[in-house]
Amino acid sequence: MDHVEFGKYLSQQRELRGLSRDEVSQVTKISPSLIAALEEGQMERLPARVFVLNYIRAYATVIGLAPEEAVLRYEEVDKATPEPSPVVLERERRRRAWLILCVVLAVLGVGAYVALVMTGKLPSPLPG
């Protein structure tokens, strides 16, 4: 069983009990988008593991499953899922760092341009 199959299991159990995602969301106070991510096995859209475990407990309670049994099923799936290698994690970290650096430089460039225009050191691009 993988995360997608676990999510399908939760979804099927919810549907068997005649509950909608919105109803589960209202009772658990978990956003519908997080419930959808959980049911679709999209772990990248979910927060840290400790939150996911609490979401599963709350979800299971609302739909009438034993919360600890649902958590145990999830933990079996989670253990079976291989962790990304350090090389992959480092590559992702560097990609994010470069993206942040580019955004910061772009914001600084625009800010400097606006400051120069406002102080009169550069002509205004707008006619007037």
Side-chain angles (χ1 to χ4, degrees):
M1 182 181 276
D2 63 5
H3 288 111
V4 173
E5 291 172 4
F6 177 75
K8 285 181 184 174
Y9 163 75
L10 291 178
S11 179
Q12 288 170 348
Q13 294 299 313
R14 174 184 52 75
E15 290 169 356
L16 282 173
R17 288 154 176 86
L19 296 169
S20 70
R21 282 182 181 173
D22 286 336
E23 290 170 320
V24 173
S25 173
Q26 288 173 355
V27 175
T28 61
K29 307 295 186 227
I30 301 169
S31 77
S33 65
L34 290 176
I35 289 180
L38 186 62
E39 287 186 353
E40 294 164 10
Q42 297 175 335
M43 304 320 294
E44 67 279 358
R45 290 180 39 207
L46 293 171
R49 185 174 188 277
V50 67
F51 296 107
V52 173
L53 294 175
N54 287 324
Y55 292 167
I56 292 169
R57 283 185 188 98
Y59 183 107
T61 300
V62 168
I63 67 169
L65 293 177
E68 292 310 313
E69 181 184 326
V71 167
L72 287 174
R73 280 182 180 244
Y74 173 77
E75 286 177 338
E76 287 175 13
V77 169
D78 205 40
K79 286 178 189 172
T81 305
E83 290 291 320
S85 73
V87 172
V88 171
L89 292 172
E90 180 64 15
R91 187 178 310 135
E92 181 63 23
R93 186 193 67 77
R94 286 183 182 193
R95 188 189 67 75
R96 277 194 309 268
W98 277 108
L99 181 63
I100 290 169
L101 177 64
C102 289
V103 168
V104 167
L105 289 175
V107 168
L108 287 174
V110 169
Y113 177 75
V114 169
L116 290 171
V117 168
M118 292 183 77
T119 59
K121 294 183 180 175
L122 284 177
S124 175
L126 303 174

